């Protein structure tokens, strides 16, 4: 696992990722027929990049502010600050999400409408809450590179 601050730092290979996002103010989100308000704070969204350009291409799309709204996460990336992404080449979004089981799910079904294993692919990270050690180590290592 590595932490990257920009899409340019990500490889163009398939893999899983977890976007690290910060909302400075509450944000209304629509997931299907549900409209919910995400409170200000930090979030992790788990996804997979399997298409052309792999992780680099998918992260570049997420990091653009001006884009066609297609996925649930597009609503969040349009209103949040993107802090970076945890990436695992060849990794899987559901495995990354499972590693975050201790974190709450703010909106059921967010980002997981095509997933039969996960209740959601978005997690809320309370202020001061620790991430799994592998994640913390990746973030700390990125500060020194």
């Amino acid at each position: 696992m590595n932490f990257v601050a920009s899409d340019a730092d990500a490889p163009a290979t398939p893999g899983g990722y977890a976007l690290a996002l910060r909302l400075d103010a509450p944000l209304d989100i629509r997931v299907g027929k549900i409209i919910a308000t995400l409170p200000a704070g930090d979030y992790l969204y788990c996804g997979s990049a399997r298409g052309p350009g792999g992780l680099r291409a998918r992260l570049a799309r997420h990091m653009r502010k001006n884009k066609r709204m297609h996925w649930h996460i597009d609503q969040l990336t349009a209103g949040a600050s993107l802090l970076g992404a945890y990436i695992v080449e060849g990794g899987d979004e559901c495995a990354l999400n499972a590693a975050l089981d201790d974190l709450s799910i703010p909106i059921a079904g967010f980002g997981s409408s095509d997933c039969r294993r996960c209740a959601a692919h978005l997690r809320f990270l309370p202020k001061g809450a620790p991430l799994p050690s592998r994640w913390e180590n990746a973030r700390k290592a990125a500060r020194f590179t």
Side-chain angles (χ1 to χ4, degrees):
M1 174 178 289
N2 293 309
F3 183 84
V4 297
S6 76
D7 58 288
D9 298 328
T13 57
Y17 62 89
L19 296 177
L21 303 134
R22 176 165 293 146
L23 275 178
D24 291 325
L27 180 68
D28 290 335
I29 297 281
R30 176 183 292 273
V31 178
K33 294 180 180 181
I34 298 169
I35 297 175
T37 301
L38 291 174
D42 291 347
Y43 294 85
L44 293 165
Y45 168 78
C46 299
S48 291
R50 303 274 178 236
L55 289 160
R56 183 177 301 147
R58 181 57 56 86
L59 292 179
R61 185 188 190 287
H62 287 316
M63 292 180 176
R64 281 195 320 263
K65 288 291 183 187
N66 298 320
K67 60 187 161 235
R68 183 176 69 88
M69 295 293 160
H70 180 69
W71 294 302
H72 296 148
I73 189 61
D74 293 338
Q75 298 171 75
L76 185 51
T77 59
S81 299
L82 191 57
L83 306 174
Y86 297 88
I87 61 170
V88 178
E89 288 185 73
D92 172 68
E93 64 192 311
C94 295
L96 289 169
N97 190 48
L100 301 172
D101 269 348
D102 289 343
L103 301 178
S104 67
I105 293 172
I107 301 174
F110 189 102
S112 64
S113 54
D114 62 345
C115 180
R116 302 238 187 269
R117 295 189 295 176
C118 303
H121 284 170
L122 181 67
R123 300 291 179 143
F124 179 70
L125 181 62
K127 189 172 186 118
L131 287 170
S133 61
R134 182 175 169 212
W135 297 59
E136 286 291 347
N137 291 340
R139 185 182 55 78
K140 288 174 184 172
R143 285 187 180 168
F144 299 106
T145 60

